[in-house]
Amino acid sequence: MTTGERVTARSRAAGATRSAAPSRRPKRSWKAYLYVLPAFAVFALFLGVPTLQTVQYSFYTWDGISRATAAGLSNYAAVLQDPELRGAFLHAGVLMVFYAAIPVLLGLLLTMVISRANALRGMSAFRTVLFLPQVIASVVVATIWVSIYSQNGLLNQLLDGVGLGSLTRVWLGDYGTALIAIGFVGTWLNIGLCVVLFVSGVGNIQPELFEAARMDGAGALQEFFGITLPALRGQIAVALTLTVTSALKTFDLVYVTTRGGPGTSTTVPAFEAYNRAFNTGQVGAAAAVAVILTIVIMIITALIGRLQPKDVA
């Protein structure tokens, strides 16, 4: 057999092998969609349909009882031009500082301390106490803090006790302190969530990295900024998503503590949507506020998602 004949024979054999090999392209199985169908049906029924109805209402002028009339984009124009609604969104921005920025920073600080004292007795109880506010109903939390911020509440008693009686006031009834007082309640609520997320993230870091850093003479701050903080990017993104979302959609805390007052100093978008829909009969305007709030939350969530590591996102 000549060289050319041997090459031709090998090519034919290789082609026969390729044709005999099974295709690597997976066959699409419609059974998988059947498993997803119940969850999709629940989602569409209880979230998709109400969302579409809210969008539909936002294009009508309707008081909730009489016949609705088409309003086009006038509800959205009114929302953007209304100073009270712009103030409500500004208040939500202030609450984001207390609900998200401060809890994340304090959570990272506490995680740095806890991760180095993890072997101490009672640390698990400490973490449980920090997370406890997350499992208490918001109405109960609001009622507790109304008592604390009252004229004869715990906060004013403490100020009197340390000789700062001139600072005492009804914290939720003062124009200058009501929004900040609500913000501190959000900080108290969310700090435990951040600590639990960050401590669980630290548990996933390989101990060899810390041992190697200590052998190289790294201190606590160098360990934290060189190893812990970069490894917690995913947990920080999750914490920011949850806390920022809770700040933007907060309603029950404002409703129970101040009902938007004094004046309009503590109104937030969710409260404005409720107030216009059920107190002033502006269902279309309330739906427009809800749609804009949803869009703002989705945009901010997408921006925060960019913090996620590529292999996690």
Side-chain angles (χ1 to χ4, degrees):
M1 181 180 293
T2 63
T3 303
E5 290 172 342
R6 285 198 294 271
V7 171
T8 302
R10 288 175 183 169
S11 300
R12 288 176 179 173
T17 303
R18 284 196 295 270
S19 61
S23 174
R24 294 183 178 179
R25 187 175 181 179
K27 293 179 65 177
R28 178 174 296 177
S29 173
W30 293 100
K31 292 181 180 177
Y33 294 99
L34 294 178
Y35 290 110
V36 179
L37 184 59
F40 178 77
V42 172
F43 171 83
L45 181 62
F46 294 103
L47 185 61
V49 173
T51 301
L52 293 177
Q53 282 185 330
T54 302
V55 174
Q56 181 187 9
Y57 294 156
S58 68
F59 294 108
Y60 286 85
T61 298
W62 187 36
D63 60 3
I65 300 175
S66 59
R67 185 181 181 85
T69 57
L73 296 174
S74 61
N75 286 327
Y76 290 96
V79 168
L80 297 176
Q81 295 172 1
D82 191 332
E84 286 189 10
L85 285 174
R86 290 203 302 269
F89 278 95
L90 179 62
H91 296 159
V94 174
L95 290 183
M96 284 168 57
V97 175
F98 291 94
Y99 275 62
I102 295 177
V104 168
L105 291 176
L106 289 178
L108 289 171
L109 178 63
L110 288 173
T111 301
M112 183 174 65
V113 175
I114 290 173
S115 60
R116 296 185 70 84
N118 202 35
L120 292 180
R121 185 176 298 176
M123 289 308 298
S124 59
F126 177 68
R127 289 196 294 266
T128 302
V129 170
L130 280 176
F131 191 73
L132 191 60
Q134 285 289 318
V135 300
I136 302 176
S138 298
V139 175
V140 177
V141 170
T143 305
I144 292 172
W145 281 94
V146 166
S147 173
I148 292 174
Y149 285 141
S150 66
Q151 182 66 52
N152 298 316
L154 179 62
L155 180 56
N156 284 338
Q157 290 180 22
L158 288 175
L159 290 174
D160 278 329
V162 297
L164 297 175
S166 60
L167 297 178
T168 60
R169 66 194 67 197
V170 181
W171 296 89
L172 292 172
D174 190 296
Y175 281 88
T177 60
L179 186 63
I180 296 174
I182 293 175
F184 274 115
V185 179
T187 302
W188 179 76
L189 278 171
N190 289 335
I191 191 169
L193 171 68
C194 295
V195 170
V196 170
L197 283 172
F198 298 156
V199 169
S200 66
V202 170
N204 295 328
I205 302 174
Q206 295 181 352
E208 292 80 6
L209 294 176
F210 293 107
E211 294 173 4
R214 287 164 191 165
M215 290 179 65
D216 291 338
L221 287 177
Q222 290 171 314
E223 277 186 23
F224 180 76
F225 287 105
I227 299 174
T228 306
L229 192 58
L232 291 180
R233 280 180 57 192
Q235 285 76 16
I236 292 173
V238 172
L240 283 174
T241 301
L242 295 175
T243 54
V244 167
T245 303
S246 69
L248 288 172
K249 69 179 185 181
T250 185
F251 166 76
D252 43 7
L253 196 57
V254 171
Y255 182 81
V256 175
T257 55
T258 65
R259 293 184 183 254
T264 58
S265 59
T266 59
T267 57
V268 290
F271 180 81
E272 281 292 340
Y274 168 84
N275 187 46
R276 287 168 189 256
F278 298 102
N279 291 335
T280 63
Q282 304 175 63
V283 177
V289 174
V291 171
I292 292 176
L293 177 61
T294 303
I295 294 173
V296 170
I297 290 175
M298 292 176 68
I299 292 174
I300 293 179
T301 302
L303 292 175
I304 294 174
R306 298 175 70 86
L307 294 175
Q308 287 271 12
K310 296 298 181 184
D311 55 340
V312 175

